[in-house]
């Protein structure tokens, strides 16, 4: 299967590459895509250098699944257009509250993946970790309310 990462040179994109590298997914081609500023740079993936492509010139039909790891503004500008050619998994907040776009954590609500129309949203990092722990508790005790505070470093 072919995958693409939009925002490949950013923090989230690089972490996505790292996770894919460790995964057992069968990846035929990985397309790395970013801004004009990062285009031409190379990133090592499974002992192979992959050149970052410029988003403005990228052909979304190359990959069956495309991870958007580049923030809400880029998701707003590109994801709907791209969803005609590839399945989008968006890591930004842009689609999280959209009624017709499933918000999925695979270990919690995988059945919602069937509802997608080529765009799938995922929650932020704090929420994703929390619901993984809360889901089994909710299944047994029916949690009604959770109050959460997060403190995240910015550098």
């Amino acid at each position: 299967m072919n995958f693409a990462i939009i925002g490949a040179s950013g923090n989230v994109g690089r972490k996505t590459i790292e996770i894919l590298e460790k995964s057992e997914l069968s990846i035929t081609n990985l397309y790395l895509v970013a801004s004009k500023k990062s285009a031409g740079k190379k990133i090592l993936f499974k002992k192979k250098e992959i050149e970052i492509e410029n988003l403005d010139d990228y052909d979304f039909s190359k990959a069956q699944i495309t991870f958007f790891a580049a923030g809400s503004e880029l998701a707003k500008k590109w994801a709907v257009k791209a969803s005609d050619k590839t399945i989008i998994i968006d890591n930004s907040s842009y689609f999280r509250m959209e009624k017709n776009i499933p918000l999925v954590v695979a270990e919690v609500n995988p059945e919602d993946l069937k509802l997608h129309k080529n765009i799938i949203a995922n929650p932020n990092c704090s929420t994703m970790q929390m619901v993984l722990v809360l889901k089994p508790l909710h299944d047994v005790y029916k949690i009604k309310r959770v109050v959460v505070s997060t403190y995240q470093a910015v550098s």
Side-chain angles (χ1 to χ4, degrees), residues 72-89:
S72 293
E73 285 304 311
L74 279 176
K76 178 180 178 180
K77 181 177 178 181
W78 291 97
V80 173
K81 292 182 231 177
S83 70
D84 290 340
K85 298 175 181 172
T86 181
I87 295 171
I88 304 297
I89 299 175

Side-chain angles (χ1 to χ4, degrees), residues 58-71:
Y58 178 69
D59 175 5
F60 282 96
S61 65
K62 290 180 178 182
Q64 287 87 6
I65 296 178
T66 300
F67 296 95
F68 268 70

Side-chain angles (χ1 to χ4, degrees), residues 124-136 146-148:
N124 74 11
C125 54
S126 303
T127 301
M128 191 173 295
Q129 293 174 48
M130 180 178 58
V131 298
L132 288 173
V133 174
L134 291 178
K135 172 69 165 113
V146 175
V147 177
V148 177

Side-chain angles (χ1 to χ4, degrees), residues 89-102:
I89 299 175
D90 183 41
N91 194 48
S92 78
S93 61
Y94 187 71
F95 293 106
R96 287 183 185 150
M97 300 305 287
E98 290 291 323
K99 186 177 180 180
N100 296 321
I101 295 177

Side-chain angles (χ1 to χ4, degrees), residues 19 103-113 122-123 127-137 139:
I19 290 167
L103 180 63
V104 176
V105 175
E107 299 84 355
V108 174
N109 61 334
E111 66 282 354
D112 286 359
L113 284 172
N122 68 306
T127 301
M128 191 173 295
Q129 293 174 48
M130 180 178 58
V131 298
L132 288 173
V133 174
L134 291 178
K135 172 69 165 113
L137 292 172
D139 289 346

Side-chain angles (χ1 to χ4, degrees), residues 17 20-21 27 30 43-50:
I17 293 165
L20 286 176
E21 179 135 44
I27 300 173
L30 178 63
I43 293 179
L44 196 63
F45 178 75
K46 299 203 180 212
K47 299 178 183 171
K48 179 179 155 190
E49 279 192 333
I50 301 175

